Amino acid sequence: VSEARAREFAAQYGYAEYMVERYVQFIGARDTIQLLKANEKPLVPTIQVNTLQIHRESLQKRLEEKGFGVEPIPYLLNGLQIERTPFSLGATTEYLLGYYTLQGAASMIVGESLDPQSGERVVDLCAAPGMKTIQLAQKMQNQGSILAIDISTRRLRALEANLARCGVKNVVGIQFDARQFSQLKYPADKILLDAPCTGSGIIRKDPRRKWSRRLTDIRQMSRIQKQLIQAGIEGLREDGLLVYSTCSLEPEENEAIIAYALATFPVELVEPPIQMGDPGLMLTKWDDQQREMKKTRRFWPHLHDTEGFFIGVLRKCAR
Ligand SMILES: C[S@@+](CC[C@H](N)C(=O)[O-])C[C@H]1O[C@@H](n2cnc3c(N)ncnc32)[C@H](O)[C@@H]1O
């Protein structure tokens, strides 16, 4: 596809030109058009059942009695897809009682990939507003400990309110710059790094992201993400797991961060336990790591009907 065609698509769908040009370069013209079309369709809402408070079947029944159309998500034990929404999912009694959180399907795979156990010491490096922290706590049955870090005091307040609503009891929240995490000398069994990103995967929820970010934002985010993953790996115990995720489609924020970690630190990639999504992009820049990059996962709006999402699971090796 010529640059002129990419410009045409960008104008037709309301994107910054550089974004569409890059997508054509990374995934080809056919997939790019499919992606732009899929981004026009609203996401079917999905929720994460809070098993600290209720079983999936009981929640499904309660919501159905209120007129919601509810279907299980086949690959997620505690995920439900909401096909019909008579009123806002954030305004039900069940929501206020903390029986569920609003979560994208691909986001729910993050917690499954970290698979934290009851007695473990877990750190959520970029935790607010706490949706994934809640999922981790319920997988740990409120046992063990989670240190939930976020740089934003305002967002931490939201995290604390969400945790209280959902009956989570094994979390301590702190306002801190996670880039300094290793200085805390707090060796973690498992770390979640759900990194800040440019968010081009969530255009279906926030169409302003078609044009609100520039190439320099992607580069700046990529720098911060490298600092965050370095701090995470340094603060992880040997043999510990770190899950890296973003809701961005940009390779500089995804595969490039994993490639940087593999080249710089004693870590190896591990396959996520749920075989959903596509393998990460294998671009020539990361030639020597191409085969490894297959173990990362990408979720695409046009292929998986989810938000755009990336997950990489790293294990820290013994030196
Ligand atoms: C993608 S959001 C996290 C969403 C959260 N994991 C959830 O599931 O609800 C990224 C978060 O990173 C935080 N953040 C950005 N830079 C940070 C830093 N240097 N240290 C700690 N947190 C940071 C932001 O305030 C934001 O809350």
Side-chain angles (χ1 to χ4, degrees):
V1 178
S2 65
E3 275 180 33
R5 284 279 282 157
R7 272 204 293 277
E8 239 172 72
F9 297 147
Q12 186 181 345
Y13 290 95
Y15 283 73
E17 271 173 29
Y18 81 91
M19 290 176 77
V20 179
E21 278 168 20
R22 284 162 46 95
Y23 296 152
V24 171
Q25 204 184 317
F26 300 142
I27 58 173
R30 253 220 334 239
D31 271 298
T32 299
I33 297 171
Q34 298 302 321
L35 170 65
L36 301 186
K37 285 187 178 158
N39 275 346
E40 297 303 301
K41 287 195 306 178
L43 259 179
V44 176
T46 50
I47 62 175
Q48 159 95 28
V49 182
N50 179 9
T51 49
L52 294 172
Q53 312 270 43
I54 195 166
H55 292 296
R56 182 177 81 171
E57 293 72 19
S58 320
L59 178 63
Q60 178 165 355
K61 192 155 161 274
R62 283 181 71 139
L63 291 175
E64 282 171 347
E65 281 166 7
K66 294 190 165 164
F68 289 90
V70 185
E71 290 296 330
I73 303 176
Y75 52 91
L76 285 167
L77 203 55
N78 296 312
L80 293 172
Q81 185 154 315
I82 312 297
E83 311 279 351
R84 191 178 55 252
T85 328
F87 56 99
S88 165
L89 274 166
T92 65
T93 314
E94 288 73 14
Y95 179 78
L96 298 173
L97 288 169
Y99 290 178
Y100 61 88
T101 55
L102 307 173
Q103 267 282 61
S107 299
M108 291 186 227
I109 294 181
V110 170
E112 298 301 324
S113 303
L114 195 65
D115 195 26
Q117 306 295 312
S118 301
E120 286 180 328
R121 180 191 271 199
V122 175
V123 179
D124 191 347
L125 281 181
C126 293
M131 295 303 111
K132 297 187 189 68
T133 322
I134 293 165
Q135 189 190 1
L136 301 180
Q138 69 187 64
K139 286 187 80 71
M140 295 166 79
Q141 293 161 324
N142 253 340
Q143 307 286 310
S145 69
I146 305 178
L147 179 64
I149 296 176
D150 205 279
I151 202 165
S152 156
T153 311
R154 183 180 55 84
R155 287 175 67 93
L156 263 178
R157 269 193 223 117
L159 171 137
E160 274 155 13
N162 285 326
L163 264 46
R165 182 173 58 79
C166 289
V168 170
K169 297 195 170 74
N170 63 340
V171 176
V172 174
I174 59 166
Q175 188 275 327
F176 191 69
D177 185 339
R179 288 174 291 184
Q180 317 296 329
F181 172 64
S182 55
Q183 292 175 16
L184 294 184
K185 305 264 182 275
Y186 185 82
D189 297 311
K190 293 198 172 146
I191 293 188
L192 172 57
L193 172 50
D194 185 36
C197 69
T198 58
S200 45
I202 53 168
I203 285 171
R204 295 174 80 173
K205 287 194 261 185
D206 181 5
R208 285 171 313 160
R209 291 180 193 252
K210 289 177 178 180
W211 45 263
S212 62
R213 302 292 194 275
R214 293 166 303 170
L215 201 50
T216 48
D217 295 321
I218 296 176
R219 295 199 180 119
Q220 195 203 347
M221 269 306 162
S222 182
R223 272 197 297 277
I224 295 172
Q225 289 153 347
K226 282 181 185 159
Q227 294 168 339
L228 285 165
I229 207 165
Q230 169 169 5
I233 293 168
E234 285 172 357
L236 194 61
R237 73 157 165 82
E238 275 181 13
D239 220 28
L241 275 194
L242 180 145
V243 172
Y244 177 82
S245 60
T246 77
C247 59
S248 163
L249 296 177
E250 315 309 315
E252 293 88 336
E253 301 183 65
N254 296 322
E255 289 85 355
I257 304 303
I258 297 296
Y260 163 74
L262 291 174
T264 320
F265 307 107
V267 287
E268 60 183 10
L269 266 171
V270 183
E271 293 263 359
I274 296 183
Q275 291 300 313
M276 274 294 297
D278 266 19
L281 291 180
M282 281 165 271
L283 306 174
T284 46
K285 266 196 228 170
W286 303 302
D287 254 351
D288 48 341
Q289 283 144 354
Q290 276 204 5
R291 264 188 313 154
E292 275 298 283
M293 214 50 83
K294 272 193 195 151
K295 294 180 185 160
T296 63
R297 287 280 174 280
R298 271 199 178 243
F299 298 84
W300 295 95
H302 61 297
L303 299 177
H304 309 105
D305 200 15
T306 56
E307 68 266 54
F309 210 80
F310 176 86
I311 300 179
V313 184
L314 293 170
R315 176 181 291 120
K316 186 164 175 177
C317 316
R319 281 199 185 262

